[in-house]
Amino acid sequence: MTLLERDEALAQLQVLMARACGGTGALVVVEGEAGIGKSALLRALADAQPAATPVWWGLCDALQTPRPLGPWLDVAEQAGDPLRALLVTDAPRPRVFAACVDQLGAQSALVIIEDLHWADEATLDLLRHLGRRIARTRSLLVASCRDDELGPTHPVRVLLGDLATAGVQRLALRPLSIDAVRQLVADRPLDALALHQATGGNPFFVTEVLAAGGSRIPASVRDAVLSRSARLSASARAVLEMAAVAGPRVEAGLLDELAAAEAAAVDDCLRSGILTAEAQTFVFRHELARQAVLESLAPTRLRVLHRLTLQALQADGAPPPSLARLVHHAAQAGDSEAVRLHAPAAAQQAARQGAHREAAAHYATLLAFSSALDAAQRAQFTEAHAYECYLVGDIASAVAGREAALGLWRRLGRRDREGDTLRWLSRLHWFLGHGELARRHAQAAIDTLEPLPASSELAMACSNAAQLAMLADNAAAAVSWGERAIALAEALGATEILAHALNNVGTARIRDSDEAGWRLLERSLQIALAHDLEEHAGRAYANLTSCGVELRDYAAAWRYCNDGIAYCLERDLDAWTFYLMAWRARAHYEQGRWSAAAAEAAGLVQRAGLPNVSRIPALVTLGAVRVRRGDPGAHELLDEARTLALDTGELQRIGPMVVARAEAAWLAGDLEACTTEAQMGADLAERCRMPWAIGEGTFWLWRAGRSVTPGDGMARPYVLQMRGDWRAAAEAWCALGCPYEQARALTDGDEGALREALAIFESLGAAPMIERVRRSLRVAGVRGLPRGPRATTQEHPAGLTLKEVQVLALLAQGLRSREIGERLSRSTRTVDHHLASIFVKLGVATRAEAVSAAHRLGLVQATG
Amino acid sequence: MPRYLVERTFPDGLGLPANAEGAQACLGVVGKNLKEGVTWVHSYCTPDRKKTFCVYDGPSPESIRVAAQANGLPVDRISEVRVLDPYFLH
């Protein structure tokens, strides 16, 4: 069949394929409604490749619950070892993912994944992994997708959003024009204009109408397909129905078995063009045709055909079908015995491969047939279902499942399981923001498990209580529960619980100003790294970073943050990556790199579906940058942050939010609002005994004109400033690397200090403070202030000075310190001072990192 | 898309000649704005050419600042603005 009006799309794909062969791979998603001609285009692309270029196809299943990694299994079958060996043996995900990247880099191949809208979760994860690395391979990866079937929260939409920055290309196919339809109609007795209108130019619909013959135009694709099949013999139609149920792809042997003596009827189907034969399998010319046939079947007939298919698939001598396929036919046939037999194995396989959405679906299918299960099995599978729901973020279903399991375990008298289920409910309620319920369930779990012999369930219940206490800033409770969990975990050799508990105790201690906490948290990280406990490693990096920023120990924060982001990116631990990025934005902001802070925070704020723990700090940071710059749009951000943060009840989220709002109110001259916000922050901080937060809240109360008593338990720079020692306060802020706070302290000083503050505020672009300081200077009788900042003193992206930019540019050219010094007529030591300052401002540890950061920020190009 | 008024100060006066060279410079600014999705609508300039008030459409104040940075233009203040027409108030 000739391909009409697809020359441009085909040429585009060919160019990308040529580029891939040249060493720059790409991922393209071909989009359009069903029947628009995606598969036809991809077949034409495949046919256009030279014989030496391998073309590997993978198909996503139209099963009720698709096979985990289904299309990649197809691809591996064609690509061969080592990929095939890894996939058929259910090798661990990281190895499978890495092998895929290697395979696409080893040679130039064209990989085609069809019907992405049906893909299982693991397939999408692998595509995300590949999409971020595809440019480094030599292959072109093309996926087809029905974009009209993707709702706003469809996983494929989320994937495309995630890959937008990685350069995924999207190619939308348009319907045929009236001219093309006219060309297809040729001299048939049909009105081309009416056909174009009725079909909307959908190529499959058009060709189906033409194949059905006659002069009537059917109302729908379904009618067109059925009028075509109506011309077949009764036995051929029966074969077609059989194939539709057994499909989407039917092995030749299976169809023989099902069609028994109807070999001639199979040939009729092939001759009519509705079925096509492809290497030992039969497929419908289009999935739309299969759907049309399926929808025409009566429910009882459908069940009978599914039962026959299931029997044939399970027959001796038949090649072993996928578990997902067995569950599909068993459920459709209403065969509860077969569901009980296959669904648990299918769910476990899906879970093992990271297809948690599919695992949850298999468990749901199983539970729908639960009359075949005894009470213990029902409890066990209800739990397994709840766990998979939790993993895919369906917390409400997870709670409902755990509640059901709780009742079942209680009836069975299983106190151990009851305790563990209560601990789970505690965790789930915390996710939903129900702090009180979370704590109550945590206590109930411990009360239930305590009378029993020491167990890992009890250890985890204690660690959970420690985590809740830590998040609520109750350090004493966190440490006491956590140490109990550590002792139990060590005695039982429960490594994962040990990593979890060490993290809770370490974080609680650090935030309680106990230096010893760093060692515990660091140990949690080392255990997690050594045992490949990715979630725990992500959480350890996250807490090490957030503690560093909260205590304004930026050197520590940067080290853990950069290592953590690299670790999480490599493993696609997106939730942790974004959380770390939110803290990185905060650190940029506090260190005066507002452009970097705003860019990072804005990227996160725009991201749909970002969890609140990451969204809150991103909103606050972007809002705070706008406040300090005097830019519009701060209030919307800080209002949303307020709503979300108050829901958590946690100082970590609320503290920065109220401080940003207090500062905004103070700058706007609203001392009443400033007091209200600051009071809330100070009160909460007081309860949590956090010196920096107490200092900050008290500082704004003081700024708003309230009388305060600066003293113990508050961070030193604030105390110094409130006691009138603005010079020492400014020095302390300077030593910490917080230029805005340094300048703010100087505004309490003499004329010289005010001039110094003005210079710092101007370099930051802090418009509201610049105005205030100018006014103060004018009131003090100072004349001859320049009217505004010069373009050259405007902020560089990373807050670098002109000299630092020059040094960095020379560093990027590969010069050593001595050579840079010679060029700039400076001593080597001075150059090294500049470099140290550059490292801190860019948040990097090595010269190579500084150079790459400079390129990323466009600093090097900007200065030639 | 919000509209912004961007105030800029040029201490040494804005050196934009009213000839082909000046037109080229403006097109350069427009080109760099494109990358940030920012549109320069038009500007008002004080007679001494030391201060400009530029009307911009853009997705966010940050995008205005990034575009200004790319063009080497100073930014004193950004305000979000709406049209108020004295002859068509209802």
Side-chain angles (χ1 to χ4, degrees):
Chain A
M1 197 181 72
T2 49
L3 203 56
L4 292 176
E5 297 182 334
R6 295 290 182 251
D7 293 348
E8 197 184 324
L10 197 56
Q12 256 175 291
L13 291 170
Q14 283 284 46
V15 167
L16 290 171
M17 186 67 208
R19 257 188 232 158
C21 294
T24 309
L27 166 61
V28 191
V29 178
V30 177
E31 301 174 14
E33 61 184 34
I36 200 70
K38 299 182 290 293
S39 300
L41 174 71
L42 297 179
R43 270 195 297 274
L45 176 67
D47 291 344
Q49 300 311 313
T53 305
V55 180
W56 300 322
W57 294 81
L59 268 67
C60 300
D61 303 323
L63 294 179
Q64 190 180 319
T65 308
R67 296 171 293 165
L69 291 176
W72 297 105
L73 283 163
D74 299 344
V75 167
E77 205 53 54
Q78 300 153 65
D81 290 339
L83 195 54
R84 177 171 53 189
L86 286 171
L87 270 164
V88 297
T89 55
D90 276 2
R93 259 163 75 112
R95 285 188 58 202
V96 172
F97 284 21
C100 264
V101 177
D102 290 348
Q103 186 84 52
L104 299 190
Q107 78 202 98
S108 289
L110 172 61
V111 184
I112 296 172
I113 305 290
E114 285 208 87
D115 297 325
L116 204 57
H117 44 278
W118 287 323
D120 64 286
E121 189 184 359
T123 288
L124 295 180
D125 285 348
L126 177 47
L127 209 56
R128 182 181 285 109
H129 186 86
L130 279 173
R132 286 172 176 160
R133 293 156 181 84
I134 193 79
R136 286 189 260 137
T137 75
R138 313 168 56 78
S139 297
L140 179 64
L141 180 51
V142 190
S144 71
C145 184
R146 292 186 191 166
D147 55 346
D148 56 334
E149 290 184 17
L150 305 182
T153 57
H154 193 287
V156 171
R157 266 225 200 287
V158 177
L159 172 77
L160 291 175
D162 287 351
L163 289 180
T165 47
V168 61
Q169 315 238 11
R170 299 170 72 168
L171 186 61
L173 296 187
R174 312 230 52 84
L176 294 178
S177 70
I178 173 71
D179 285 339
V181 172
R182 212 168 267 143
Q183 202 177 325
L184 287 169
V185 170
D187 49 6
R188 290 183 181 81
L190 268 171
D191 178 357
L193 195 61
L195 180 62
H196 183 255
Q197 247 166 18
T199 58
N202 183 297
F204 174 74
F205 196 171
V206 172
T207 49
E208 206 59 16
V209 172
L210 296 177
S215 57
R216 209 179 54 84
I217 297 176
S220 67
V221 182
R222 184 167 169 269
D223 295 340
V225 171
L226 294 180
S227 73
R228 184 171 173 186
S229 66
R231 294 186 312 178
L232 293 172
S233 67
S235 47
R237 275 209 304 279
V239 167
L240 215 50
E241 290 168 4
M242 206 74 231
V245 170
R249 274 177 300 171
V250 193
E251 296 78 357
L254 178 64
L255 196 61
D256 283 349
E257 173 104 19
L258 288 169
E262 309 274 6
V266 175
D267 288 341
D268 281 349
C269 294
L270 288 174
R271 239 190 323 274
S272 78
I274 301 177
L275 274 192
T276 55
E278 276 177 15
Q280 297 306 305
T281 55
F282 293 103
V283 292
F284 276 78
R285 189 169 86 75
H286 198 280
E287 178 62 19
L288 283 173
R290 190 175 81 91
Q291 282 305 325
V293 173
L294 270 183
E295 285 164 17
S296 72
L297 292 173
T300 43
R301 170 103 177 114
L302 201 56
R303 280 161 75 101
V304 170
L305 293 180
H306 274 296
R307 190 168 318 137
L308 289 173
T309 307
L310 183 64
Q311 280 166 7
L313 284 172
Q314 288 175 306
D316 287 339
S322 69
L323 290 164
R325 196 165 169 197
L326 289 173
V327 175
H328 173 77
H329 293 298
Q332 301 287 322
D335 184 341
S336 60
E337 194 49 42
V339 169
R340 198 176 59 85
L341 192 64
H342 300 302
Q348 283 154 17
Q349 185 192 47
R352 224 171 22 247
Q353 298 186 337
H356 298 292
R357 207 154 28 89
E358 284 65 36
H362 284 307
Y363 283 125
T365 304
L366 176 63
L367 292 169
F369 288 88
S370 66
S371 56
L373 302 171
D374 65 36
Q377 284 174 325
R378 209 176 319 153
Q380 182 198 334
F381 291 132
T382 304
E383 244 178 22
H385 179 238
Y387 181 64
E388 298 300 331
C389 287
Y390 156 74
L391 290 181
V392 297
D394 180 1
I395 306 295
S397 299
V399 169
R402 293 285 172 186
E403 300 271 4
L406 187 65
L408 290 164
W409 290 130
R410 277 186 176 148
R411 235 169 297 150
L412 288 161
R414 286 285 302 272
R415 300 282 286 168
D416 57 336
R417 297 306 316 143
E418 181 188 338
D420 201 43
T421 306
L422 285 165
R423 192 265 304 169
W424 263 109
L425 281 166
S426 160
R427 178 85 186 132
L428 295 172
H429 281 300
W430 178 79
F431 266 111
L432 293 173
H434 306 151
E436 190 44 45
L437 270 176
R439 273 184 291 282
R440 219 179 310 146
H441 279 98
Q443 189 60 50
I446 293 172
D447 293 345
T448 309
L449 291 164
E450 205 141 43
L452 308 176
S455 63
S456 56
E457 284 83 359
L458 178 60
M460 194 57 216
C462 292
S463 197
N464 176 62
Q467 184 178 16
L468 287 177
M470 179 269 283
L471 289 165
D473 298 290
N474 182 347
V479 170
S480 97
W481 283 122
E483 284 181 344
R484 184 121 186 253
I486 292 172
L488 278 165
E490 276 179 334
L492 295 160
T495 313
E496 199 169 347
I497 301 174
L498 182 60
H500 189 258
L502 282 169
N503 184 322
N504 298 328
V505 177
T507 306
R509 279 193 190 275
I510 296 171
R511 303 187 74 229
D512 196 35
S513 317
D514 179 352
E515 289 279 323
W518 289 102
R519 273 202 320 279
L520 298 175
L521 195 43
E522 176 69 39
R523 194 174 151 221
S524 170
L525 175 65
Q526 294 313 327
I527 291 173
L529 292 176
H531 291 85
D532 271 337
L533 303 170
E534 295 182 347
E535 274 297 310
H536 294 279
R539 183 162 165 257
Y541 278 124
N543 284 350
L544 284 161
T545 301
S546 65
C547 284
V549 177
E550 281 190 294
L551 299 181
R552 298 188 188 259
D553 182 349
Y554 299 109
W558 278 110
R559 194 170 61 244
Y560 291 120
C561 186
N562 285 338
D563 287 357
I565 288 176
Y567 178 90
C568 296
L569 271 179
E570 185 57 36
R571 288 160 184 79
D572 300 305
L573 301 170
D574 287 4
W576 290 121
T577 307
F578 297 144
Y579 186 73
L580 284 164
M581 284 177 166
W583 281 101
R584 183 163 70 181
R586 176 89 201 159
H588 276 309
Y589 159 74
E590 290 183 2
Q591 295 189 278
R593 292 182 298 272
W594 294 351
S595 294
E600 183 123 77
L604 291 167
V605 166
Q606 279 158 19
R607 194 169 275 282
L610 189 72
N612 287 346
V613 285
S614 302
R615 183 165 180 83
I616 295 165
L619 286 167
V620 170
T621 298
L622 187 58
V625 169
R626 287 182 182 177
V627 167
R628 289 189 172 179
R629 279 173 165 172
D631 277 355
H635 289 287
E636 297 89 306
L637 298 168
L638 294 178
D639 284 351
E640 190 193 339
R642 183 171 200 278
T643 311
L644 297 179
L646 289 182
D647 271 352
T648 69
E650 293 168 9
L651 175 66
Q652 242 187 99
R653 333 284 169 211
I654 297 174
M657 179 274 292
V658 289
V659 165
R661 293 173 66 92
E663 185 169 340
W666 184 79
L667 285 171
D670 185 348
L671 298 186
E672 204 53 50
C674 177
T675 306
T676 314
E677 301 284 355
Q679 192 70 57
M680 188 199 292
D683 289 350
L684 185 59
E686 198 78 51
R687 263 207 313 284
C688 308
R689 303 198 302 157
M690 294 281 292
W692 284 101
I694 300 171
E696 217 161 17
T698 313
F699 172 81
W700 283 110
L701 283 174
W702 177 66
R703 268 292 198 247
R706 305 286 141 155
S707 85
V708 296
T709 326
D712 291 344
M714 287 180 208
R716 200 171 138 269
Y718 292 114
V719 176
L720 289 171
Q721 190 171 356
M722 287 186 279
R723 285 188 177 150
D725 194 350
W726 51 267
R727 194 177 296 282
E731 279 164 12
W733 285 118
C734 181
L736 286 165
C738 301
Y740 185 88
E741 282 75 5
Q742 179 194 351
R744 198 167 64 189
L746 289 169
T747 58
D748 290 357
D750 53 22
E751 188 196 318
L754 280 173
R755 282 180 178 277
E756 220 179 305
L758 183 60
I760 296 175
F761 284 137
E762 283 182 341
S763 75
L764 289 166
M769 286 307 288
I770 293 171
E771 243 168 73
R772 273 176 180 262
V773 176
R774 285 230 183 105
R775 210 180 312 134
S776 303
L777 281 166
R778 273 197 301 273
V779 168
V782 178
R783 296 282 172 267
L785 286 170
R787 264 182 59 190
R790 283 166 206 287
T792 46
T793 59
Q794 285 286 303
E795 183 202 11
H796 268 283
L800 299 179
T801 65
L802 257 184
K803 187 61 71 189
E804 286 164 356
V805 172
Q806 286 174 341
V807 170
L808 189 54
L810 293 171
L811 187 71
Q813 290 171 22
L815 268 58
R816 295 165 187 286
S817 295
R818 190 177 45 77
E819 295 163 331
I820 296 173
E822 283 165 8
R823 291 272 191 101
L824 299 176
S825 314
R826 294 283 189 282
S827 73
T828 308
R829 246 186 60 192
T830 306
V831 170
D832 285 338
H833 277 306
H834 283 308
L835 281 175
S837 165
I838 291 168
F839 282 19
V840 170
K841 288 182 179 175
L842 295 177
V844 299
T846 65
R847 287 169 185 242
E849 281 173 24
V851 171
S852 82
H855 280 288
R856 200 174 58 241
L857 292 168
L859 281 177
V860 176
Q861 276 171 343
T863 55
Chain B
M1 197 172 281
R3 175 157 290 194
Y4 298 103
L5 183 77
V6 185
E7 295 170 50
R8 312 186 194 276
T9 304
F10 299 89
D12 306 322
L14 175 64
L16 189 69
N19 55 19
E21 198 189 319
Q24 200 54 48
C26 285
L27 284 182
V29 170
V30 169
K32 285 188 174 151
N33 286 345
L34 207 60
K35 213 172 137 258
E36 301 303 322
V38 162
T39 310
W40 176 17
V41 181
H42 58 239
S43 295
Y44 301 92
C45 185
T46 54
D48 64 1
R49 314 197 105 209
K50 288 192 172 175
K51 204 149 166 63
T52 64
F53 301 84
C54 308
V55 178
Y56 269 73
D57 289 339
S60 67
E62 289 75 34
S63 60
I64 303 282
R65 286 187 183 273
V66 174
Q69 174 104 34
N71 285 307
L73 292 169
V75 174
D76 300 346
R77 177 195 293 275
I78 302 174
S79 311
E80 190 173 340
V81 294
R82 310 252 156 93
V83 170
L84 188 156
D85 192 322
Y87 303 103
F88 293 92
L89 277 181
H90 293 288

